[in-house]
Amino acid sequence: ATTIRDLTYDLLRRHGITTIFGNPGSNELPFLQDFPSDFRYILALHEGVAIGIADGYAQATGRTALVNLHSAAGTGNAMGGFANAWNAHSPLVVTAGQQIRAMIGIEPLLTNLDATTLPKPLVKWSYEPARAEDVPLAMSRALHLSSLPAPGPVYLSIPYDDWAKPAEPESLRLLDRAVSAAGALDAGAAVALAARLERSANPVIVLGPDVDAARTNQHAVRLAERLKAPVWIAPSAPRCPFPTTHPNFRGLLPASMAGISRLLEGHDLVLVAGAPVFRYHQYDPGPLLPAGAELIQITCDPDEAARAPMGDAIVGDVGLILAALADTVCEAERAAPQPREAPPRSAPGAAPLTSERVLDLMDDLAPRDAIYVNESTSTIEAMWERMRWEKPGSYYFGAAGGLGFAMPAAVGVQLAEPNRQVIAVIGDGSANYSVTALWTAAQNNVPVVFVIMRNGTYGALRWFASVLEAERVPGLDVPGIDFVAIATGYGMEAVRVDTDAAFAAAFARALKAGKPSLIEVATACHTA
Ligand code: TPP
């Protein structure tokens, strides 16, 4: 008879999942025994790394990724990753092995106490099946739910004795199910929305990560060109939804109420697609919108729509709606926006290098379609100003701002996109949260180029301390870390550089190597 374990692997195959990211323990061994040869298990040495790799992989493929964690302790180690995945709308099924049913009640070692509460509120659904026979349905539900709009992580706790039990014959029906989401505007609604955009004298478009997730960037371009509207990136951006080289591109909005209203001054209509309105960070109170402006948000996430403090919202398929609007809207009469002024090119020769210099050299030398996974927190604005990101899926950043995302996510994105070069740009503070991702990259020969920007400090916190006028704060510097030794210890080639010529040479070599490597570059902290 088909076991619950066999049926689960078949379900995963049915959903196109043959890669499992994880870090196992005793409770997970019965699921993993006799591991099928058409599956691969990508081992991470810490659960924050496992979920980070899976998050990058899920975002880059646009499909659900499976994460295999160990009971409560493993889940706990992954919680920062749940925060990022939740905010990224990243479709993940996270399983945690539970103790054997016969003993759960007496709480032996490795019981996942009140397991379903543990990952809340950062999951769409959290469940422990009441009977072994319910595991296949729970897994099927988790797989579908993770990817239905809005996508996100789901959590399943599964007692380890369930896997060997026979599946109920009727549960084989799960293998034949197709579940899909629609979410287009009907023709009348599309025409009405287009008319509203056409009536605006001076519209502006603000794009968020779900435009890139829907791979609908080119429709955003068409819409912006027809409306002759400037395009801003929604604040705290975890992805790049619009080509930064396009003449309509304006840049990244600041993450404050007053800052956004100031920059959007003069616009009478703000069309937001694929983002919450807005993911603020620093508190700079002010009007939510400039005087006289209305706002329309298009989102795949009902909660994003419901919790917005201003404007109208439409919940649906961001890709289909943008495409329909681009098809429907009449070309505006006004002049097209002038391209923004490019930032001055960084000067060569300074030591330590400015971060702008490192970014310019990377942008010069990397392939045009390279993918940047960023966790260099004081250089975010400089990146958005300078980097030429043109293809969908060119940029990723931790969507909750939780550090420990980018090193593993870079590995996951590179696994998902073998034909594009992934470059991880990582601060010397951020590099420590998930540094064991280097080992997974080395073991699996995932050819990410890791660039560590070593400025010796938590630069972004120094900047925030000045915003909050917080003086004499301890714990903001990170001296005395040797990333070359760490990378070498995890089996990866690494080099330290402190001039632009040496950086350029090392970076060019790393791009050609066809294997992962790390470059530690000394940079100036310009926010200190
Ligand atoms: N812990 C987690 C898990 N996430 C966070 N965002 C923080 C702490 C707070 N934090 C935000 S930015 C930052 C810290 C500690 C500094 C990161 O420094 P570094 O990576 O060196 O980059 P820099 O700002 O110097 O460019």
Side-chain angles (χ1 to χ4, degrees):
T2 305
T3 62
I4 283 166
R5 184 179 156 282
D6 294 338
L7 178 51
T8 300
Y9 279 109
D10 280 344
L11 264 176
L12 293 172
R13 288 185 186 99
R14 176 75 171 75
H15 284 258
I17 294 176
T18 53
T19 300
I20 301 177
F21 305 95
N23 185 272
S26 48
N27 294 352
E28 292 71 40
L29 299 177
F31 172 65
L32 296 172
Q33 73 176 75
D34 298 322
F35 194 61
S37 60
D38 58 330
F39 277 70
R40 64 175 168 175
Y41 193 90
I42 303 286
L43 177 62
L45 302 182
H46 183 277
E47 292 79 358
V49 175
I51 195 168
I53 298 177
D55 189 351
Y57 190 79
Q59 289 195 55
T61 57
R63 310 181 57 155
T64 295
L66 184 68
V67 187
N68 178 244
L69 302 181
H70 182 45
S71 192
T75 305
N77 282 351
M79 276 315 283
F82 275 99
N84 285 320
W86 170 257
N87 281 285
H89 288 150
S90 197
L92 297 181
V93 171
V94 183
T95 63
Q98 176 62 292
Q99 256 291 7
I100 190 165
R101 286 185 187 268
M103 289 209 294
I104 292 174
I106 50 178
E107 291 183 21
L109 203 65
L110 304 174
T111 306
N112 194 348
L113 266 187
D114 197 1
T116 56
T117 303
L118 194 57
K120 288 176 184 172
L122 300 172
V123 285
K124 293 178 75 174
W125 183 56
S126 180
Y127 192 64
E128 185 173 272
R131 306 178 304 153
E133 292 74 12
D134 298 328
V135 169
L137 177 58
M139 181 58 78
S140 173
R141 181 170 170 182
L143 288 163
H144 290 300
L145 195 59
S146 62
S147 63
L148 285 166
V154 301
Y155 184 76
L156 284 185
S157 166
I158 305 168
Y160 76 73
D161 51 326
D162 289 0
W163 298 112
K165 304 231 167 87
E168 291 176 333
E170 285 294 299
S171 55
L172 295 177
R173 292 180 190 276
L174 296 168
L175 292 171
D176 296 327
R177 300 196 65 222
V179 176
S180 54
L185 293 178
D186 64 46
V191 168
L193 184 55
R196 213 169 145 187
L197 299 180
E198 286 159 4
R199 278 198 301 275
S200 160
N202 190 10
V204 59
I205 297 175
V206 177
L207 299 177
D210 286 328
V211 171
D212 193 53
R215 290 289 195 268
T216 193
N217 312 34
Q218 94 243 28
H219 298 301
V221 168
R222 280 202 301 132
L223 180 62
E225 287 174 354
R226 296 193 80 153
L227 271 182
K228 309 231 172 75
V231 174
W232 288 91
I233 305 300
S236 312
R239 298 177 69 144
C240 179
F242 194 81
T244 59
T245 51
H246 192 281
N248 294 36
F249 177 70
R250 284 293 168 274
L252 176 66
L253 283 175
S256 76
M257 295 165 181
I260 290 176
S261 298
R262 248 191 320 268
L263 267 172
L264 300 186
E265 195 67 61
H267 292 290
D268 56 358
L269 178 79
V270 184
L271 178 70
V272 183
V277 290
F278 287 110
R279 185 106 60 213
Y280 302 113
H281 183 193
Q282 63 272 27
Y283 184 56
D284 186 3
L288 295 172
L289 287 171
E294 56 176 341
L295 180 145
I296 306 169
Q297 175 196 29
I298 300 165
T299 171
C300 68
D301 184 340
D303 190 58
E304 242 168 48
R307 72 172 189 263
M310 74 289 209
D312 299 336
I314 298 162
V315 180
D317 184 306
V318 175
L320 294 177
I321 294 174
L322 279 183
L325 280 180
D327 291 341
T328 311
V329 92
C330 292
E331 180 148 355
E333 299 284 337
R334 58 189 154 261
Q338 288 300 304
R340 84 205 145 106
E341 213 177 297
R345 171 113 189 142
S346 60
L353 280 73
T354 61
S355 35
E356 287 79 3
R357 186 69 188 152
V358 179
L359 296 173
D360 283 351
L361 289 171
M362 288 197 293
D363 197 44
D364 285 351
L365 294 167
R368 279 271 47 80
D369 67 347
I371 300 169
Y372 292 80
V373 186
N374 177 32
E375 206 162 282
S376 171
T377 44
S378 65
T379 65
I380 295 169
E381 284 75 18
M383 282 182 100
W384 279 99
E385 266 168 30
R386 317 181 85 82
M387 306 305 281
R388 289 173 292 168
W389 294 323
E390 284 160 348
K391 283 185 78 165
S394 288
Y395 177 78
Y396 298 90
F397 182 85
L403 303 181
F405 164 82
M407 286 184 103
V411 177
V413 172
Q414 186 72 85
L415 283 167
E417 301 253 30
N419 298 322
R420 294 172 72 182
Q421 175 67 53
V422 173
I423 298 161
V425 186
I426 314 285
D428 55 348
S430 300
N432 300 288
Y433 295 79
S434 292
V435 73
T436 62
L438 297 176
W439 180 86
T440 303
Q443 287 295 312
N444 295 281
N445 198 33
V446 187
V448 175
V449 176
F450 294 90
V451 176
I452 308 290
M453 310 278 258
R454 190 168 56 77
N455 62 9
T457 191
Y458 285 159
L461 292 194
R462 292 197 163 277
W463 169 76
F464 217 93
S466 71
V467 171
L468 297 178
E469 297 177 25
E471 286 163 23
R472 295 173 297 283
V473 178
L476 296 185
D477 287 333
V478 288
I481 306 173
D482 181 343
F483 290 100
V484 173
I486 291 169
T488 309
Y490 281 122
M492 183 178 295
E493 270 181 33
V495 54
R496 176 177 303 115
V497 297
D498 53 13
T499 64
D500 29 349
F503 176 78
F507 189 63
R509 215 167 33 244
L511 292 172
K512 280 207 233 78
K515 59 182 177 184
S517 65
L518 179 143
I519 303 170
E520 181 193 306
V521 53
T523 56
C525 180
H526 50 129
T527 50

